[in-house]
Amino acid sequence: MSGIWIYSEDSVIAKELLTAGLELKVSMSQSVGVITLAGEEQDAFIAAGADKVCILKGQNPWSESYADAVADFVSKERASVLLVGGTLRGKDLAAIAAATLRTGLVTDALTVQYVNNGIETTRLIYGGLAIQTEAISLPAFVTVPPRTYMEAPAMAGRQGEVFTVKVDNIASGISVSSVCPIIREGADISTASRVVGVGRGFGKREDLAMAEKLAQAIGAEIGCTRGIAEDSHWLPSERYIGISGQKVKAELYIAAGISGQVQHVAGVRDSKIIVAIDTNEKAPIFAAADYGIVGDLYEVLPLLAGAMGEK
Amino acid sequence: MPKILVCYKWVLDEQDIKINSGNLSLDSSRAKYKISDYDKNAIEEATLLMEAYEGNVDALTFGSDKVKQSLKDALSRGPGSVQWIGDAAFEQADAFVTANVLAAAIRKNGTYDLILCGEGSADSYSQQVAPRLATLLGIPVITFVQKLCMDGSRTIATRKLGDCTEVVEVEGPAVISVLPEINKPRIPSLKQVMAAAKKPSQEIKLAELELSAEDIIPKTVSISVKGYIMNRKNILFKEASQADNVAKLVASLAQEGLC
Amino acid sequence: MSEEEKFDAIIIGAGPAGAACAYVLAKEGKNVILIERGATAGEKNVTGGRLYTYAMELVESGLYKQAPMQRKVVREQIMMMSANSAITADYVNYDFGTDVPQSFTVLRTPFDEWFAAQAEEQGVMLACGILVEDLIERDGKVVGVRAGDDEIYANVVVAADGVNSFIAQKAGLRDDICPHAVAVGAKEIIELPSNVIEDRFNLTGDEGAARMLVGGTNGVLGGGFMYTNSNSISLGVVLNPEDLARQGKKIHEIFQDLKMHPAIYSLIKDGTTVEYGAHLVPEIGFSGMPKKLYRDGLLVVGDAAGMCMNTGTILRGIDLAIVSGVAAARAIIANKSAGDVGASYMQQLEQLQLLPTMRLFGKYHEVLSNPRMISTYPNMANEIMKMMFSVDGTLPKRIDKAMLGIVKRHVTFGQIVADGWKGFKATT
Ligand SMILES: Cc1cc2nc3c(=O)[nH]c(=O)nc-3n(C[C@H](O)[C@H](O)[C@H](O)COP(=O)(O)OP(=O)(O)OC[C@H]3O[C@@H](n4cnc5c(N)ncnc54)[C@H](O)[C@@H]3O)c2cc1C
Ligand SMILES: Cc1cc2nc3c(=O)[nH]c(=O)nc-3n(C[C@H](O)[C@H](O)[C@H](O)COP(=O)(O)OP(=O)(O)OC[C@H]3O[C@@H](n4cnc5c(N)ncnc54)[C@H](O)[C@@H]3O)c2cc1C
Ligand SMILES: Nc1ncnc2c1ncn2[C@@H]1O[C@H](COP(=O)(O)O)[C@@H](O)[C@H]1O
């Protein structure tokens, strides 16, 4: 078994995974290759460290329909590791490929290492309450969330082998119609340096204005808990923070009306300072916060916005 | 009259799990079990489809010997019957083993028009079992579904993926994983709980299933599980006057160089 | 709901009273539904947890052997506390532990869950997570219950819904609880290794201790209790809410102080509190019970009927709840027509000695609601001990004189005689 392969339908993520792949290349002394649907990126991948680039060319644009082709390819290559970009589409494809080849798959790995002839990963379980270290027998499939690694920098004058594989992925049994992009509003909260998080403590959509005032006062982006985005639909889903949502690594995170269930807190734990405002002194958010105010956000937020505004 | 199967997992309620401050090991001795949160949405969706298209719904679960406790709760949420596999093998099972076991159990029962799963299980949240299951059964999978309807043997689903939504259609049987936003699970009523007590449940022994030895050897093995704690300052301002609290907070933030 | 679907009995509340009633009925082949608002039976139940075994024996002989009992109680203790000292009377009687042990300590959550499951095995339909909101009446007769949009019917409805019974109120048998009819209880379960518990309480194996605490409540009317479980201690207080209010104190503050009392602290030291709960307790005893325990088609059992008593040395409620549940079941089994069930239920309560016992201790709460009982006498006793055990090199007072001095400082003889007489009267 030889070869570390990387797949993502998103070329930026593929370059992030190259960083992880190149670390493994050192410890496993095996070559690193990229499987891509985006032929035009071939040189960029090689510049970023790929020894090989495999371009899958099929007629069906739906990336999930490449699962069999990816499985096929890695088994032919007798790959020892397949790193997949942990988008929803990526996880879907990885699980299908893993089932086809009867291999182990770890999704949402925080770290990937080569340890005594196997792959060792860490990931969160119980909604972020605990971190689990797992050993996967080779060949090992792993999905890694976007932005876990930096993009591998381009190096001048690298050589690599590029080949194209024709794929018949028409008959996936599924026909896709009307794809409508979700337009991102405002900046990306996962990179924002300050974030105000809103939860079910807000009674009505209009009340979010109070949070926005505070956000303006301190130059923050608005984030939220899953319910606010997915149940109430008050904010777009890319605004929700947590184990299954965005991870924020802010200088300052202010949680208002958020109970602080572990699944949410898992998304803010990398923030430097966490502030919580909640009426319930027993709310778990306070255990996860540096500073907390026990009180009604309807009273506290305007005061805070005022005070911070003056500064 | 679609024949629908819904798969649910009986998990420890993470809210009852304590982290031992010393070695960060987990203490679940006082933890209760629950139907995995998003599987309640899967059960609800299956039940709504059943009500809309006069189909019938079976439930299937693979768990430890404790999984029997889940049957009544599951049945009171709509399914007409439930099959359960309670085996120690569950404790080490990864998605590979789980999917193998569920697929074998499904083959034993014959075919379904739709097989519903949750988006991810509340404990491992690996989001693998649905696609694996479909692959093992040789039928298509549609993951992350926020809207679902059937038209004869066709199923039309709206998927929600990070950056877009897409409508997909599939002819014939498929595995579907649903997002929690797809519905609000019902709180079982007295009549539904009463009805559940009369519904059939069937145990399937692991041994009865057509599984090879490898099929139940996990591919991923847990080496360690440690509580993931954060050390925070935990300074609480709880004076009666919010003005005071805010002033104190702002002062502290100034100290942190944040304003 | 059609007639043939009609239940023989609907039982509201899966506490000890409800579970016992359901169990006995189902064993006789009756068609019974047991409705519990908690997600599981016992989920919502707080109790110090000592159960007298005779009650379980009434349900079914030997059944207690399978129950998740904690320890069989052989040590009965009374602790008279004052600020920084305490006298503990420790009565050990190993006969209490032989053949059918007299009483066990129990943890309510596992016990209630187990008991309800036993009833289910007898054929009871157990419906958890359902709140009964109302009774259905037809021409003055209770014929069923309402939960959400659902209505179900039965020959007899049994209200086993606990202290402050909402159902009994609906039926007009009990008016809203008045503060002096109930006490408020708070309790903690403090985990400790079983061998530590055995050392601290001088126990071996599955032996247990039950301790009543007199005093130690910052002068607020009430008392405390301490039970040894297998690997935890139940520590609690039961206080008079009016007196709490009068003295402007908070129950959890008193509870914290109690935990910090040197004589208590040394027993719970290094333990981890794994559960805290607060709950009401029917306090007044016999005179606090509703005048009428039934209506046509409705029986009231257990705490719902105020069947709880506190003699100062023992706190009984679980056993009375079970006995009344059994009484109700027997009455239902014995009578075809719902009309006769009520009267026969009352006869059962007499035969099973429940009402006679309640009457016997009828006036006890008056004794206990006497402030001298919870502060003056404990302090006095502690001071006498101090006097007798203190040696500081000075010339001691003559014991009899000193004794008199102390007593005089605390009470008049008139009071002693009066209190003594009351205490005596209360049981005769
Ligand atoms: C597998 C799984 C994955 C999940 N992933 C995520 C995730 O990624 N992100 C996420 O956020 N959740 C996630 N959840 C859901 C999570 O468990 C919680 O349900 C959710 O985070 C709770 O959101 P909330 O705090 O807004 O609501 P609540 O839990 O209802 O909290 C509301 C809070 O507001 C307070 N409050 C009410 N009124 C006021 C007021 N006037 N002033 C101040 N405070 C007030 C209340 O005291 C309470 O603490 C997940 C769940 C599961 C099972
Ligand atoms: C702190 C404390 C310590 C105690 N210590 C002892 C002791 O050591 N020994 C002893 O014998 N007794 C003790 N008692 C008293 C004892 O707990 C009660 O007497 C006993 O629990 C009464 O049982 P029950 O079944 O009548 O009511 P409960 O045990 O209160 O059960 C009532 C049940 O009905 C359910 N319910 C209520 N309303 C509804 C509704 N509308 N619909 C559906 N379900 C409903 C409740 O959820 C509950 O499960 C103590 C009590 C307290 C508070
Ligand atoms: N042990 C199990 N028994 C039945 N269904 C399961 C089991 N494990 C997972 N599932 C189903 O697969 C979905 C995804 O689980 P997971 O891949 O663990 O995130 C769950 O929401 C369930 O619908």
Side-chain angles (χ1 to χ4, degrees):
Chain A
M1 236 181 287
S2 174
I4 299 152
W5 286 92
I6 288 163
Y7 166 86
S8 180
E9 77 282 354
D10 176 330
S11 298
V12 174
I13 299 172
K15 286 171 197 155
E16 293 171 4
L17 295 192
L18 265 172
T19 305
L22 291 167
E23 286 173 12
L24 290 177
K25 176 180 178 176
V26 175
S27 50
M28 300 177 77
S29 51
Q30 294 183 12
S31 65
V32 178
V34 173
I35 305 166
T36 183
L37 312 181
E40 67 281 6
E41 292 278 339
Q42 61 184 65
D43 301 335
F45 289 137
I46 289 173
D51 304 309
K52 303 176 187 166
V53 174
C54 163
I55 303 162
L56 298 179
K57 275 222 174 316
Q59 311 87 324
N60 186 341
W62 196 52
S63 66
E64 286 84 333
S65 66
Y66 285 85
D68 294 345
V70 171
D72 222 42
F73 178 78
V74 294
S75 70
K76 282 211 188 67
E77 283 289 315
R78 309 195 55 255
S80 50
V81 178
L82 175 67
L83 299 178
V84 177
T87 58
L88 296 181
R89 293 187 192 278
K91 288 190 236 182
D92 183 317
L93 178 143
I96 293 171
T100 311
L101 301 181
R102 296 175 58 84
T103 61
L105 166 64
V106 167
T107 49
D108 300 318
L110 304 175
T111 62
V112 187
Q113 282 175 315
Y114 182 66
V115 180
N116 41 45
N117 312 322
I119 291 295
E120 214 172 272
T121 56
T122 55
R123 71 187 300 271
L124 297 179
I125 56 171
Y126 293 124
L129 180 79
I131 187 157
Q132 180 177 41
T133 307
E134 287 169 293
I136 326 170
S137 48
L138 301 181
F141 289 13
V142 179
T143 78
V144 178
R147 286 181 300 278
T148 306
Y149 292 87
M150 291 296 192
E151 278 183 57
M155 294 166 279
R158 283 195 84 269
Q159 298 301 318
E161 171 190 353
V162 178
F163 46 91
T164 303
V165 175
K166 288 238 167 305
V167 175
D168 171 24
N169 59 343
I170 283 301
S172 71
I174 294 176
S175 59
V176 181
S177 61
S178 71
V179 176
C180 68
I182 298 169
I183 302 96
R184 287 187 178 277
E185 303 154 14
D188 176 356
I189 62 168
S190 63
T191 58
S193 77
R194 294 179 173 199
V195 176
V196 174
V198 299
R200 291 207 194 103
F202 286 78
K204 314 190 289 311
R205 186 183 204 138
E206 300 72 55
D207 302 342
L208 297 184
M210 289 186 302
E212 275 144 19
K213 267 212 174 52
L214 174 61
Q216 278 158 15
I218 63 172
E221 290 297 324
I222 297 280
C224 63
T225 55
R226 186 165 186 162
I228 295 294
E230 303 294 22
D231 299 343
S232 316
H233 299 286
W234 289 353
L235 287 168
S237 37
E238 79 268 8
R239 291 264 161 182
Y240 92 74
I241 301 164
I243 185 86
S244 55
Q246 301 285 348
K247 314 279 179 294
V248 305
K249 305 180 173 67
E251 287 295 301
L252 174 62
Y253 178 70
I254 302 179
I258 292 177
S259 63
Q261 300 305 325
V262 42
Q263 295 91 348
H264 177 75
V265 171
V268 298
R269 51 185 309 134
D270 295 333
S271 300
K272 189 162 154 295
I273 295 294
I274 297 179
V275 173
I277 301 160
D278 200 292
T279 39
N280 172 11
E281 188 178 341
K282 296 222 167 5
I285 192 69
F286 288 121
D290 296 288
Y291 303 100
I293 292 183
V294 180
D296 186 339
L297 65 87
Y298 286 80
E299 187 182 352
V300 175
L301 284 187
L303 289 167
L304 189 57
M308 298 288 273
E310 294 157 15
K311 289 270 169 176
Chain B
M1 286 266 301
K3 211 159 159 280
I4 302 170
L5 179 74
V6 59
C7 299
Y8 74 89
K9 188 177 184 182
W10 185 235
V11 299
L12 282 173
D13 188 337
E14 68 282 350
Q15 292 189 36
D16 306 340
I17 301 176
K18 301 270 163 291
I19 298 172
N20 296 321
S21 46
N23 57 0
L24 299 187
S25 63
L26 298 189
D27 172 8
S28 49
S29 56
R30 307 188 76 80
K32 283 197 176 301
Y33 283 79
K34 63 176 178 183
I35 290 179
S36 179
D37 304 53
Y38 297 164
D39 296 355
K40 291 183 185 156
N41 299 90
I43 295 172
E44 179 67 22
E45 196 59 20
T47 306
L48 292 172
L49 290 171
M50 171 183 76
E51 289 162 356
Y53 306 107
E54 289 130 7
N56 63 56
V57 176
D58 298 339
L60 173 63
T61 187
F62 167 46
S64 70
D65 52 356
K66 297 211 174 50
V67 76
K68 199 172 190 304
Q69 301 166 0
S70 70
L71 306 180
K72 243 171 101 176
D73 187 4
L75 289 171
S76 65
R77 296 170 180 278
S81 76
V82 59
Q83 295 188 319
W84 53 285
I85 303 141
D87 195 285
F90 171 75
E91 306 293 351
Q92 284 74 35
D94 60 357
F96 168 78
V97 170
T98 300
N100 287 340
V101 170
L102 295 176
I106 292 167
R107 287 201 200 89
K108 199 165 173 293
N109 302 347
T111 60
Y112 288 95
D113 299 302
L114 274 189
I115 297 173
L116 268 59
C117 289
E119 170 213 359
S121 55
D123 52 357
S124 64
Y125 200 62
S126 77
Q127 304 184 309
Q128 289 186 41
V129 169
R132 276 185 182 267
L133 195 53
T135 310
L136 294 176
L137 296 172
I139 57 177
V141 63
I142 307 175
T143 47
F144 312 110
V145 169
Q146 68 174 168
K147 194 166 164 299
L148 190 60
C149 57
M150 301 180 78
D151 173 1
S153 58
R154 275 162 62 253
T155 301
I156 304 100
T158 308
R159 299 176 77 205
K160 181 148 161 219
L161 304 133
D163 54 357
C164 72
T165 62
E166 63 184 26
V167 178
V168 306
E169 242 184 72
V170 57
E171 176 69 33
V175 175
I176 310 274
S177 85
V178 303
L179 294 167
E181 61 182 291
I182 197 167
N183 58 41
K184 271 223 163 311
R186 69 194 62 187
I187 294 160
S189 71
L190 175 55
K191 287 273 170 75
Q192 286 160 336
V193 173
M194 286 167 58
K198 297 200 177 74
K199 292 178 180 174
S201 68
Q202 183 201 347
E203 175 173 16
I204 303 178
K205 291 255 174 262
L206 208 52
E208 300 168 21
L209 296 175
E210 281 181 17
L211 289 165
S212 70
E214 304 84 68
D215 288 338
I216 51 176
I217 299 169
K219 298 286 184 183
T220 63
V221 176
S222 177
I223 296 172
S224 79
V225 172
K226 283 205 174 323
Y228 196 30
I229 52 156
M230 264 194 300
N231 291 322
R232 293 285 173 179
K233 300 192 179 73
N234 302 128
I235 298 168
L236 261 196
F237 306 117
K238 42 181 181 178
E239 304 305 321
S241 149
Q242 292 304 347
D244 296 356
N245 292 335
V246 168
K248 290 207 190 82
L249 173 61
V250 173
S252 315
L253 291 179
Q255 289 231 322
E256 304 276 358
L258 285 166
C259 62
Chain C
M1 189 165 171
S2 63
E3 275 305 305
E4 64 274 13
E5 274 181 285
K6 186 171 160 190
F7 290 95
D8 295 318
I10 296 169
I11 299 167
I12 306 165
C21 186
Y23 185 102
V24 174
L25 283 170
K27 203 165 168 44
E28 279 294 315
K30 296 289 179 192
N31 175 13
V32 184
I33 184 168
L34 177 59
I35 305 177
E36 167 59 44
R37 70 176 166 197
T40 56
E43 187 199 51
K44 291 204 161 31
N45 296 351
V46 184
T47 172
R50 148 180 353 216
L51 169 54
Y52 289 92
T53 321
Y54 81 94
M56 288 304 288
E57 289 293 273
L58 282 176
V59 175
E60 175 158 7
S61 164
L63 185 61
Y64 76 91
K65 294 202 190 85
Q66 303 152 35
M69 302 293 196
Q70 297 293 313
R71 291 172 179 271
K72 52 181 188 183
V73 179
V74 296
R75 288 189 177 275
E76 300 285 354
Q77 307 173 327
I78 301 175
M79 194 178 201
M80 284 198 145
M81 306 171 67
S82 122
N84 234 343
S85 65
I87 306 165
T88 305
D90 174 13
Y91 173 60
V92 60
N93 183 338
Y94 294 100
D95 293 346
F96 286 165
T98 48
D99 48 38
V100 178
Q102 171 177 270
S103 70
F104 289 91
T105 55
V106 291
L107 290 172
R108 281 296 297 281
T109 306
F111 178 81
D112 287 13
E113 205 168 347
W114 168 84
F115 204 179
Q118 295 303 304
E120 211 174 0
E121 268 179 34
Q122 293 296 329
V124 170
M125 181 181 285
L126 174 63
C128 289
I130 302 291
L131 177 77
V132 172
E133 283 146 325
D134 207 350
L135 292 169
I136 305 169
E137 303 195 21
R138 293 264 164 77
D139 37 59
K141 184 178 182 308
V142 175
V143 295
V145 304
R146 193 174 286 110
D149 305 336
D150 293 336
E151 297 187 343
I152 58 170
Y153 299 89
N155 284 331
V156 182
V157 174
V158 178
D161 55 338
V163 62
N164 184 13
S165 168
F166 166 77
I167 298 300
Q169 283 167 38
K170 282 269 176 197
L173 293 177
R174 160 183 284 275
D175 29 2
D176 258 321
I177 40 152
C178 40
H180 71 273
V182 296
V184 334
K187 95 145 214 254
E188 265 185 23
I189 296 177
I190 302 164
E191 257 178 20
L192 281 166
S194 50
N195 61 319
V196 173
I197 292 173
E198 283 146 29
D199 295 347
R200 289 181 186 179
F201 286 83
N202 188 1
L203 305 163
T204 47
D206 62 349
E207 292 169 4
R211 180 179 299 197
M212 294 303 269
L213 313 176
V214 186
T217 51
N218 304 5
V220 174
L221 285 176
F225 58 84
M226 199 169 204
Y227 301 107
T228 56
N229 306 312
S230 301
N231 51 11
S232 66
I233 291 175
S234 300
L235 175 67
V237 289
V238 178
L239 301 172
N240 174 312
E242 285 180 316
D243 202 37
L244 263 177
R246 204 179 301 119
Q247 306 201 25
K249 292 183 177 146
K250 295 205 165 46
I251 185 162
H252 66 268
E253 289 163 6
I254 295 183
F255 194 52
Q256 284 313 314
D257 294 353
L258 178 69
K259 282 172 72 179
M260 285 306 123
H261 190 288
I264 298 291
Y265 181 75
S266 57
L267 294 169
I268 60 174
K269 180 160 135 301
D270 305 329
T272 43
T273 298
V274 292
E275 202 176 298
Y276 175 88
H279 196 81
L280 298 173
V281 200
E283 222 352 44
I284 283 213
F286 188 69
S287 49
M289 292 174 63
K291 300 289 150 285
K292 208 154 167 294
L293 299 184
Y294 65 91
R295 260 187 58 187
D296 203 354
L298 178 79
L299 302 179
V300 188
V301 299
D303 270 13
M307 290 167 180
C308 193
M309 53 189 226
N310 180 353
T311 69
T313 54
I314 50 177
L315 178 54
R316 291 175 59 179
I318 303 174
D319 59 324
L320 303 182
I322 292 171
V323 172
S324 63
V326 172
R330 290 184 180 175
I332 293 168
I333 291 162
N335 296 275
K336 286 275 142 293
S337 89
D340 316 332
V341 173
S344 133
Y345 171 50
M346 296 312 287
Q347 286 167 8
Q348 286 291 338
L349 289 174
E350 294 290 346
Q351 278 170 28
L352 293 170
Q353 298 306 327
L354 189 147
L355 287 174
T357 313
M358 294 284 298
R359 280 193 212 93
L360 179 63
F361 290 96
K363 295 219 157 35
Y364 238 79
H365 70 283
E366 289 173 14
V367 180
L368 295 173
S369 57
N370 171 344
R372 283 192 291 279
M373 286 293 164
I374 57 103
S375 52
T376 316
Y377 292 128
N379 288 331
M380 189 170 92
N382 277 277
E383 219 175 300
I384 292 173
M385 287 291 170
K386 178 155 184 281
M387 180 272 295
M388 294 198 289
F389 288 102
S390 306
V391 174
D392 58 9
T394 62
L395 173 69
K397 299 197 191 60
R398 265 184 51 187
I399 300 242
D400 53 357
K401 284 238 172 61
M403 193 96 72
L404 255 152
I406 294 170
V407 174
K408 282 218 186 89
R409 237 179 301 122
H410 284 89
V411 284
T412 68
F413 284 102
Q415 288 170 324
I416 298 186
V417 176
D419 295 345
W421 177 242
K422 259 213 211 112
F424 174 70
K425 275 284 293 305
T427 52
T428 48

